[in-house]
Amino acid sequence: MYHHTLHILLLSSDPLLEASLGAAAPRPGFAHIITADHDPESDAQAQCAGADIVLLDAPWLEYLPAMRQAVRSGALFIFAGEVQPGAEYLPMLDDIWLGPANSTLWDFHVARLLDAVRQHRDHDLATLHLNTVIDLTTDLVWFKDAKGAHVKVNEAFCRLVGKKREVVEGRGHYFIWDLEPEEYAQGEFVCLETDQIVMNSREVGVFDEVVKAPQGMRQFKTRKAPLFNVDGSVMGTVGIARDVTDIANMTAELDLVLQSIPYAVMLLDADRRIVNFNERFRKLFGITDTDYIIGEKREVFRKRAVERLGFARNGKHVKMRSAVDGHERVIDMYEEDILDIFNNVIGMICIYRDVTRQRQVEKRLKERANTDELTGLFNRHYFFKQIPVTLPLGAGLAYVDLDNFKYVNDIYGHYTGDKALVLTAQLLRKHLRGTVIARLGGDEFAAYFPEGCTEENLCTCASELLAAMVEAYDAHEAYQGLSASIGVVLVEDQGLSREDLVRRGDLAMYTAKRLGKRRYCFYTTSLE
């Protein structure tokens, strides 16, 4: 990771010490350069300016104060000799190697010196790493002792509290957060309780904490862990806190938006678990106050909706029973993935729109567009849409026109005439099942037989229908003059068009009228 060259200045005439220094193996990450000076009269002050370690013996002691002034910060001064230095020099020395000149002793001291320098360098590097890392993060980082004093904090912590690091470190919550005495006494906004929890449990804890900062109340998502002494006892805690105030505010704003949307809305995470929903969703699916569905898999919730509400999905449409009144509801469902800035799916929004009334209105409009308002039969337009452009062999048609209908209208009025038309429609439905029946206009009706017809069964149907109509009309005094003329057509020509089919039915019907009414006439080419 690092490489450092130690500059060692030897101010001694001891050849054994110089030999031990020269023979010493450099420690990992280190190299050393040894400069020796045996003359106490030389300019030692100039030589030691760039030294990391200065080894000196008794003749050099008088120059120690001046050398101490000239040396770089952190340099070590070590006395190596047989006589202990005077008391006035001791504060300026970092170590003393006493003893008679001895290779073994000097080898021992040199080895310990190099190991100590490397350990000190490793410690400085570890401290640098720690400080750099905790200052790099935008989260708050702190170390506390067991009594709650802040031993170390990062720059983000200092920025939030508005105090410098040297002011914060060593102080507790009362001072750092500018708490009122009663707030501190009550433990409010202090976070000491969670410190005690992790120290007692001796495990990592995750907490939601509120702190009173100079910028106002702040909410944090905090992780705390105990710190242990070498004997296993707890000596304090370390904490990392993420300021989630803005996220919490966004969540509140999201809730407000969700509640204001006029449709039922559900939010899912990337695993399709429910993370939020609005009040309309709760009402639509009958979610009670005791139903806690946050975090529940969507499939689990849907299964329960199927069981309780008959929830059934068909593409983007859903049918279900209302949780309020039990009536069937038709729901349009809109789903859209939620993507992050890298287009990764991180969730989904599901919107449910109750379109029951809309579908009912559309159905009624469609029925009105396709049916005759008075009789409820198909109208002329829809009738022609239901008949193939080119007719299959074996298809048939009954073209019905009421006899003497104008007389009923003139004598008894249009209301009675309308009643007669409604009765006619009922008779057609009853006796011509499996056909497409329409009121073509006025008192004209038609029934299309899609397949399997013969001349015989078409004539039988027409005969039975006529008999039923006469019986029904004769039962009412106002309808006793009514009857019907029916034109019957069988498709026997390959490629016959629907227009020709209706034309032939109309021709056969008018033939029946000319023959005296109250009868049916089967179409033949001789009628042309």
Side-chain angles (χ1 to χ4, degrees), residues 113-164:
L113 172 64
L114 296 180
D115 288 340
V117 169
R118 181 173 185 271
Q119 290 174 3
H120 183 76
R121 178 61 177 167
D122 287 345
H123 173 269
D124 288 345
L125 188 61
T127 301
L128 175 65
H129 288 168
L130 176 62
N131 289 337
T132 303
V133 169
I134 66 174
D135 284 339
L136 190 63
T137 178
T138 56
D139 294 338
L140 277 64
V141 181
W142 66 88
F143 297 82
K144 296 183 191 176
D145 64 19
K147 294 182 179 179
H150 292 68
V151 179
K152 185 182 229 10
V153 296
N154 70 342
E155 285 295 331
F157 188 102
C158 295
R159 284 195 299 271
L160 183 69
V161 300
K163 294 180 174 67
K164 294 183 178 180

Short mmCIF file of all heavy atoms in Angstrom, two decimals, residues 113-164:
data_model
loop_
_atom_site.label_atom_id
_atom_site.label_comp_id
_atom_site.label_asym_id
_atom_site.label_seq_id
_atom_site.Cartn_x
_atom_site.Cartn_y
_atom_site.Cartn_z
N LEU A 113 13.34 -0.81 17.16
CA LEU A 113 13.11 0.53 16.64
C LEU A 113 12.40 0.47 15.28
O LEU A 113 11.40 1.16 15.05
CB LEU A 113 14.44 1.29 16.51
CG LEU A 113 14.35 2.63 15.79
CD1 LEU A 113 13.47 3.62 16.58
CD2 LEU A 113 15.75 3.22 15.58
N LEU A 114 12.94 -0.36 14.39
CA LEU A 114 12.34 -0.46 13.06
C LEU A 114 10.91 -1.01 13.13
O LEU A 114 10.02 -0.57 12.37
CB LEU A 114 13.21 -1.32 12.15
CG LEU A 114 14.61 -0.77 11.84
CD1 LEU A 114 15.39 -1.73 10.93
CD2 LEU A 114 14.53 0.61 11.20
N ASP A 115 10.69 -1.98 14.02
CA ASP A 115 9.32 -2.52 14.18
C ASP A 115 8.38 -1.46 14.72
O ASP A 115 7.23 -1.34 14.28
CB ASP A 115 9.34 -3.73 15.13
CG ASP A 115 9.97 -4.95 14.49
OD1 ASP A 115 10.04 -5.00 13.24
OD2 ASP A 115 10.39 -5.87 15.23
N ALA A 116 8.87 -0.68 15.68
CA ALA A 116 8.03 0.37 16.26
C ALA A 116 7.68 1.44 15.23
O ALA A 116 6.55 1.94 15.19
CB ALA A 116 8.74 0.99 17.46
N VAL A 117 8.69 1.81 14.40
CA VAL A 117 8.43 2.81 13.37
C VAL A 117 7.37 2.29 12.39
O VAL A 117 6.47 3.03 11.98
CB VAL A 117 9.74 3.17 12.63
CG1 VAL A 117 9.45 3.99 11.38
CG2 VAL A 117 10.67 3.93 13.56
N ARG A 118 7.51 1.01 12.01
CA ARG A 118 6.52 0.45 11.08
C ARG A 118 5.13 0.40 11.72
O ARG A 118 4.12 0.73 11.08
CB ARG A 118 6.94 -0.94 10.65
CG ARG A 118 5.95 -1.55 9.65
CD ARG A 118 6.46 -2.87 9.08
NE ARG A 118 5.55 -3.35 8.06
CZ ARG A 118 4.49 -4.13 8.28
NH1 ARG A 118 4.22 -4.50 9.53
NH2 ARG A 118 3.71 -4.51 7.29
N GLN A 119 5.04 -0.01 12.97
CA GLN A 119 3.75 -0.04 13.65
C GLN A 119 3.13 1.35 13.75
O GLN A 119 1.92 1.53 13.57
CB GLN A 119 3.90 -0.65 15.05
CG GLN A 119 4.20 -2.14 15.04
CD GLN A 119 4.49 -2.68 16.44
OE1 GLN A 119 4.41 -1.93 17.43
NE2 GLN A 119 4.83 -3.96 16.53
N HIS A 120 3.99 2.33 14.04
CA HIS A 120 3.50 3.71 14.12
C HIS A 120 3.00 4.17 12.76
O HIS A 120 1.95 4.84 12.67
CB HIS A 120 4.64 4.62 14.62
CG HIS A 120 4.20 6.04 14.80
ND1 HIS A 120 3.43 6.46 15.87
CD2 HIS A 120 4.42 7.16 14.03
CE1 HIS A 120 3.19 7.75 15.76
NE2 HIS A 120 3.79 8.20 14.65
N ARG A 121 3.74 3.78 11.70
CA ARG A 121 3.31 4.16 10.35
C ARG A 121 2.00 3.47 9.99
O ARG A 121 1.08 4.08 9.41
CB ARG A 121 4.40 3.78 9.35
CG ARG A 121 4.04 4.08 7.89
CD ARG A 121 3.81 5.56 7.67
NE ARG A 121 3.55 5.85 6.27
CZ ARG A 121 3.08 7.00 5.83
NH1 ARG A 121 2.81 7.98 6.68
NH2 ARG A 121 2.87 7.19 4.54
N ASP A 122 1.85 2.19 10.35
CA ASP A 122 0.60 1.46 10.10
C ASP A 122 -0.56 2.11 10.85
O ASP A 122 -1.68 2.22 10.32
CB ASP A 122 0.73 0.00 10.52
CG ASP A 122 1.60 -0.80 9.55
OD1 ASP A 122 1.83 -0.29 8.43
OD2 ASP A 122 2.02 -1.92 9.91
N HIS A 123 -0.28 2.54 12.08
CA HIS A 123 -1.32 3.20 12.86
C HIS A 123 -1.73 4.52 12.21
O HIS A 123 -2.94 4.82 12.10
CB HIS A 123 -0.81 3.45 14.29
CG HIS A 123 -1.74 4.29 15.11
ND1 HIS A 123 -1.65 5.66 15.17
CD2 HIS A 123 -2.79 3.95 15.89
CE1 HIS A 123 -2.61 6.13 15.95
NE2 HIS A 123 -3.31 5.11 16.42
N ASP A 124 -0.75 5.27 11.77
CA ASP A 124 -1.07 6.55 11.10
C ASP A 124 -1.87 6.30 9.82
O ASP A 124 -2.81 7.04 9.50
CB ASP A 124 0.21 7.30 10.76
CG ASP A 124 0.88 7.88 12.00
OD1 ASP A 124 0.22 7.93 13.06
OD2 ASP A 124 2.05 8.27 11.91
N LEU A 125 -1.48 5.24 9.08
CA LEU A 125 -2.18 4.94 7.84
C LEU A 125 -3.62 4.49 8.12
O LEU A 125 -4.56 4.89 7.41
CB LEU A 125 -1.42 3.85 7.07
CG LEU A 125 -1.93 3.55 5.66
CD1 LEU A 125 -1.83 4.81 4.79
CD2 LEU A 125 -1.15 2.40 5.03
N ALA A 126 -3.80 3.65 9.15
CA ALA A 126 -5.15 3.21 9.51
C ALA A 126 -6.02 4.39 9.93
O ALA A 126 -7.20 4.47 9.58
CB ALA A 126 -5.08 2.17 10.64
N THR A 127 -5.41 5.31 10.69
CA THR A 127 -6.14 6.52 11.10
C THR A 127 -6.52 7.36 9.89
O THR A 127 -7.64 7.88 9.80
CB THR A 127 -5.30 7.35 12.08
OG1 THR A 127 -4.97 6.54 13.23
CG2 THR A 127 -6.05 8.59 12.53
N LEU A 128 -5.57 7.46 8.94
CA LEU A 128 -5.85 8.21 7.72
C LEU A 128 -6.99 7.57 6.94
O LEU A 128 -7.89 8.26 6.45
CB LEU A 128 -4.58 8.27 6.86
CG LEU A 128 -4.75 8.93 5.48
CD1 LEU A 128 -5.11 10.41 5.63
CD2 LEU A 128 -3.46 8.77 4.66
N HIS A 129 -6.92 6.21 6.83
CA HIS A 129 -7.99 5.50 6.13
C HIS A 129 -9.34 5.76 6.79
O HIS A 129 -10.34 6.05 6.11
CB HIS A 129 -7.70 3.99 6.13
CG HIS A 129 -6.57 3.61 5.22
ND1 HIS A 129 -5.99 2.37 5.25
CD2 HIS A 129 -5.89 4.32 4.28
CE1 HIS A 129 -5.03 2.31 4.35
NE2 HIS A 129 -4.93 3.49 3.76
N LEU A 130 -9.39 5.62 8.10
CA LEU A 130 -10.64 5.80 8.83
C LEU A 130 -11.18 7.21 8.64
O LEU A 130 -12.36 7.39 8.32
CB LEU A 130 -10.42 5.50 10.31
CG LEU A 130 -11.63 5.75 11.22
CD1 LEU A 130 -12.79 4.86 10.84
CD2 LEU A 130 -11.24 5.55 12.69
N ASN A 131 -10.32 8.20 8.84
CA ASN A 131 -10.78 9.59 8.71
C ASN A 131 -11.25 9.90 7.29
O ASN A 131 -12.25 10.60 7.10
CB ASN A 131 -9.65 10.55 9.10
CG ASN A 131 -9.37 10.52 10.59
OD1 ASN A 131 -10.23 10.14 11.38
ND2 ASN A 131 -8.16 10.89 10.98
N THR A 132 -10.51 9.37 6.30
CA THR A 132 -10.90 9.62 4.91
C THR A 132 -12.24 8.99 4.59
O THR A 132 -13.11 9.61 3.96
CB THR A 132 -9.83 9.08 3.95
OG1 THR A 132 -8.57 9.68 4.26
CG2 THR A 132 -10.19 9.39 2.51
N VAL A 133 -12.42 7.76 5.05
CA VAL A 133 -13.68 7.05 4.75
C VAL A 133 -14.86 7.73 5.42
O VAL A 133 -15.89 7.97 4.79
CB VAL A 133 -13.58 5.57 5.18
CG1 VAL A 133 -14.96 4.91 5.14
CG2 VAL A 133 -12.63 4.82 4.28
N ILE A 134 -14.75 8.03 6.70
CA ILE A 134 -15.92 8.59 7.39
C ILE A 134 -16.21 10.01 6.93
O ILE A 134 -17.37 10.46 6.96
CB ILE A 134 -15.75 8.55 8.93
CG1 ILE A 134 -14.62 9.47 9.40
CG2 ILE A 134 -15.54 7.14 9.41
CD1 ILE A 134 -14.49 9.56 10.91
N ASP A 135 -15.17 10.73 6.46
CA ASP A 135 -15.41 12.08 5.94
C ASP A 135 -15.93 12.04 4.50
O ASP A 135 -16.51 13.01 4.02
CB ASP A 135 -14.14 12.92 6.01
CG ASP A 135 -13.83 13.38 7.42
OD1 ASP A 135 -14.77 13.40 8.24
OD2 ASP A 135 -12.67 13.73 7.70
N LEU A 136 -15.68 10.92 3.81
CA LEU A 136 -16.14 10.80 2.43
C LEU A 136 -17.65 10.60 2.35
O LEU A 136 -18.29 11.06 1.41
CB LEU A 136 -15.40 9.64 1.75
CG LEU A 136 -15.57 9.50 0.24
CD1 LEU A 136 -15.00 10.71 -0.46
CD2 LEU A 136 -14.89 8.22 -0.24
N THR A 137 -18.22 9.92 3.34
CA THR A 137 -19.65 9.64 3.30
C THR A 137 -20.46 10.86 3.71
O THR A 137 -20.01 11.68 4.52
CB THR A 137 -20.00 8.46 4.22
OG1 THR A 137 -21.41 8.23 4.19
CG2 THR A 137 -19.60 8.75 5.66
N THR A 138 -21.64 10.96 3.13
CA THR A 138 -22.55 12.06 3.50
C THR A 138 -23.40 11.69 4.71
O THR A 138 -24.13 12.54 5.22
CB THR A 138 -23.47 12.41 2.32
OG1 THR A 138 -24.18 11.23 1.90
CG2 THR A 138 -22.66 12.94 1.15
N ASP A 139 -23.33 10.43 5.15
CA ASP A 139 -24.04 10.03 6.36
C ASP A 139 -23.26 10.50 7.59
O ASP A 139 -22.05 10.73 7.53
CB ASP A 139 -24.18 8.51 6.42
CG ASP A 139 -25.08 7.97 5.32
OD1 ASP A 139 -25.89 8.76 4.80
OD2 ASP A 139 -24.95 6.78 4.99
N LEU A 140 -23.94 10.62 8.70
CA LEU A 140 -23.30 11.00 9.96
C LEU A 140 -22.63 9.78 10.57
O LEU A 140 -23.23 8.69 10.63
CB LEU A 140 -24.32 11.57 10.95
CG LEU A 140 -24.71 13.04 10.80
CD1 LEU A 140 -25.40 13.29 9.47
CD2 LEU A 140 -25.61 13.47 11.95
N VAL A 141 -21.38 9.93 11.00
CA VAL A 141 -20.64 8.84 11.65
C VAL A 141 -20.06 9.36 12.95
O VAL A 141 -19.53 10.47 13.01
CB VAL A 141 -19.50 8.32 10.74
CG1 VAL A 141 -18.76 7.16 11.43
CG2 VAL A 141 -20.04 7.88 9.39
N TRP A 142 -20.16 8.54 14.00
CA TRP A 142 -19.61 8.92 15.30
C TRP A 142 -19.21 7.70 16.10
O TRP A 142 -19.72 6.59 15.88
CB TRP A 142 -20.62 9.76 16.09
CG TRP A 142 -21.84 8.98 16.48
CD1 TRP A 142 -22.05 8.23 17.59
CD2 TRP A 142 -23.04 8.86 15.70
NE1 TRP A 142 -23.28 7.65 17.57
CE2 TRP A 142 -23.92 8.03 16.43
CE3 TRP A 142 -23.45 9.38 14.48
CZ2 TRP A 142 -25.19 7.70 15.96
CZ3 TRP A 142 -24.71 9.06 14.01
CH2 TRP A 142 -25.57 8.23 14.74
N PHE A 143 -18.27 7.91 17.00
CA PHE A 143 -17.86 6.90 17.97
C PHE A 143 -18.07 7.50 19.36
O PHE A 143 -17.69 8.65 19.61
CB PHE A 143 -16.38 6.52 17.79
CG PHE A 143 -16.07 5.89 16.46
CD1 PHE A 143 -15.87 6.67 15.33
CD2 PHE A 143 -15.98 4.51 16.35
CE1 PHE A 143 -15.59 6.09 14.10
CE2 PHE A 143 -15.69 3.92 15.12
CZ PHE A 143 -15.49 4.71 13.99
N LYS A 144 -18.66 6.72 20.25
CA LYS A 144 -18.91 7.21 21.62
C LYS A 144 -18.31 6.24 22.63
O LYS A 144 -18.18 5.04 22.36
CB LYS A 144 -20.41 7.29 21.90
CG LYS A 144 -21.20 8.27 21.07
CD LYS A 144 -22.65 8.25 21.56
CE LYS A 144 -23.58 9.00 20.64
NZ LYS A 144 -24.99 8.87 21.08
N ASP A 145 -17.98 6.81 23.79
CA ASP A 145 -17.59 5.94 24.89
C ASP A 145 -18.85 5.45 25.60
O ASP A 145 -19.98 5.80 25.23
CB ASP A 145 -16.62 6.64 25.83
CG ASP A 145 -17.24 7.85 26.53
OD1 ASP A 145 -18.49 7.95 26.58
OD2 ASP A 145 -16.47 8.70 27.02
N ALA A 146 -18.68 4.63 26.60
CA ALA A 146 -19.82 4.01 27.28
C ALA A 146 -20.71 5.04 27.98
O ALA A 146 -21.88 4.77 28.24
CB ALA A 146 -19.33 2.96 28.28
N LYS A 147 -20.17 6.22 28.27
CA LYS A 147 -20.96 7.25 28.95
C LYS A 147 -21.66 8.19 27.98
O LYS A 147 -22.36 9.11 28.40
CB LYS A 147 -20.04 8.06 29.89
CG LYS A 147 -19.48 7.23 31.04
CD LYS A 147 -18.62 8.09 31.95
CE LYS A 147 -18.08 7.28 33.12
NZ LYS A 147 -17.23 8.12 34.01
N GLY A 148 -21.44 7.99 26.67
CA GLY A 148 -22.14 8.80 25.69
C GLY A 148 -21.35 9.97 25.15
O GLY A 148 -21.87 10.75 24.35
N ALA A 149 -20.09 10.12 25.55
CA ALA A 149 -19.27 11.21 25.01
C ALA A 149 -18.80 10.84 23.61
O ALA A 149 -18.43 9.69 23.35
CB ALA A 149 -18.07 11.47 25.91
N HIS A 150 -18.79 11.82 22.71
CA HIS A 150 -18.39 11.58 21.33
C HIS A 150 -16.87 11.59 21.22
O HIS A 150 -16.23 12.64 21.36
CB HIS A 150 -19.00 12.63 20.41
CG HIS A 150 -20.49 12.53 20.29
ND1 HIS A 150 -21.33 12.81 21.34
CD2 HIS A 150 -21.28 12.14 19.25
CE1 HIS A 150 -22.59 12.62 20.95
NE2 HIS A 150 -22.57 12.23 19.70
N VAL A 151 -16.29 10.43 20.95
CA VAL A 151 -14.84 10.30 20.86
C VAL A 151 -14.34 10.74 19.49
O VAL A 151 -13.29 11.35 19.37
CB VAL A 151 -14.42 8.84 21.14
CG1 VAL A 151 -12.91 8.69 21.02
CG2 VAL A 151 -14.90 8.40 22.51
N LYS A 152 -15.09 10.41 18.46
CA LYS A 152 -14.70 10.77 17.10
C LYS A 152 -15.96 10.99 16.27
O LYS A 152 -16.94 10.24 16.40
CB LYS A 152 -13.85 9.65 16.46
CG LYS A 152 -13.30 9.99 15.10
CD LYS A 152 -12.53 8.82 14.57
CE LYS A 152 -11.18 9.05 14.04
NZ LYS A 152 -10.48 10.24 14.15
N VAL A 153 -15.95 12.02 15.41
CA VAL A 153 -17.09 12.30 14.53
C VAL A 153 -16.54 12.65 13.15
O VAL A 153 -15.37 13.00 13.01
CB VAL A 153 -17.96 13.46 15.06
CG1 VAL A 153 -18.60 13.11 16.38
CG2 VAL A 153 -17.15 14.75 15.16
N ASN A 154 -17.40 12.58 12.14
CA ASN A 154 -16.96 12.95 10.79
C ASN A 154 -17.45 14.34 10.42
O ASN A 154 -18.17 15.01 11.18
CB ASN A 154 -17.41 11.90 9.77
CG ASN A 154 -18.91 11.90 9.55
OD1 ASN A 154 -19.67 12.44 10.35
ND2 ASN A 154 -19.36 11.29 8.47
N GLU A 155 -17.03 14.79 9.23
CA GLU A 155 -17.36 16.15 8.80
C GLU A 155 -18.85 16.35 8.63
O GLU A 155 -19.39 17.43 8.91
CB GLU A 155 -16.64 16.45 7.47
CG GLU A 155 -15.15 16.72 7.62
CD GLU A 155 -14.87 17.99 8.42
OE1 GLU A 155 -15.70 18.91 8.38
OE2 GLU A 155 -13.81 18.05 9.08
N ALA A 156 -19.56 15.30 8.14
CA ALA A 156 -21.01 15.43 7.95
C ALA A 156 -21.70 15.69 9.28
O ALA A 156 -22.65 16.49 9.36
CB ALA A 156 -21.56 14.16 7.30
N PHE A 157 -21.22 15.05 10.34
CA PHE A 157 -21.77 15.27 11.67
C PHE A 157 -21.55 16.72 12.09
O PHE A 157 -22.47 17.39 12.59
CB PHE A 157 -21.09 14.30 12.65
CG PHE A 157 -21.69 14.27 14.02
CD1 PHE A 157 -22.54 13.26 14.40
CD2 PHE A 157 -21.42 15.29 14.94
CE1 PHE A 157 -23.10 13.23 15.67
CE2 PHE A 157 -21.97 15.27 16.20
CZ PHE A 157 -22.81 14.23 16.58
N CYS A 158 -20.34 17.20 11.87
CA CYS A 158 -20.01 18.57 12.27
C CYS A 158 -20.84 19.60 11.49
O CYS A 158 -21.28 20.61 12.05
CB CYS A 158 -18.52 18.83 12.06
SG CYS A 158 -17.44 17.84 13.11
N ARG A 159 -21.03 19.33 10.19
CA ARG A 159 -21.83 20.27 9.39
C ARG A 159 -23.27 20.35 9.90
O ARG A 159 -23.86 21.42 9.94
CB ARG A 159 -21.82 19.83 7.92
CG ARG A 159 -20.53 20.15 7.19
CD ARG A 159 -20.70 20.03 5.70
NE ARG A 159 -21.08 18.68 5.29
CZ ARG A 159 -20.21 17.72 4.99
NH1 ARG A 159 -18.91 17.96 5.05
NH2 ARG A 159 -20.63 16.54 4.61
N LEU A 160 -23.82 19.20 10.27
CA LEU A 160 -25.21 19.20 10.72
C LEU A 160 -25.37 19.95 12.04
O LEU A 160 -26.30 20.75 12.21
CB LEU A 160 -25.73 17.77 10.87
CG LEU A 160 -27.20 17.68 11.26
CD1 LEU A 160 -28.10 18.14 10.13
CD2 LEU A 160 -27.58 16.26 11.67
N VAL A 161 -24.45 19.71 12.99
CA VAL A 161 -24.59 20.35 14.31
C VAL A 161 -24.05 21.78 14.30
O VAL A 161 -24.28 22.53 15.26
CB VAL A 161 -23.90 19.52 15.41
CG1 VAL A 161 -24.49 18.14 15.49
CG2 VAL A 161 -22.39 19.44 15.17
N GLY A 162 -23.29 22.14 13.23
CA GLY A 162 -22.78 23.50 13.15
C GLY A 162 -21.65 23.78 14.11
O GLY A 162 -21.46 24.93 14.54
N LYS A 163 -20.85 22.76 14.42
CA LYS A 163 -19.72 22.92 15.33
C LYS A 163 -18.50 22.22 14.75
O LYS A 163 -18.63 21.24 14.02
CB LYS A 163 -20.03 22.35 16.73
CG LYS A 163 -21.13 23.08 17.47
CD LYS A 163 -21.37 22.42 18.83
CE LYS A 163 -22.36 23.22 19.67
NZ LYS A 163 -23.71 23.21 19.11
N LYS A 164 -17.30 22.73 15.08
CA LYS A 164 -16.07 22.13 14.60
C LYS A 164 -15.78 20.83 15.33
O LYS A 164 -16.23 20.61 16.43
CB LYS A 164 -14.91 23.11 14.77
CG LYS A 164 -15.03 24.37 13.90
CD LYS A 164 -13.82 25.26 14.07
CE LYS A 164 -13.93 26.49 13.17
NZ LYS A 164 -12.77 27.39 13.31
#
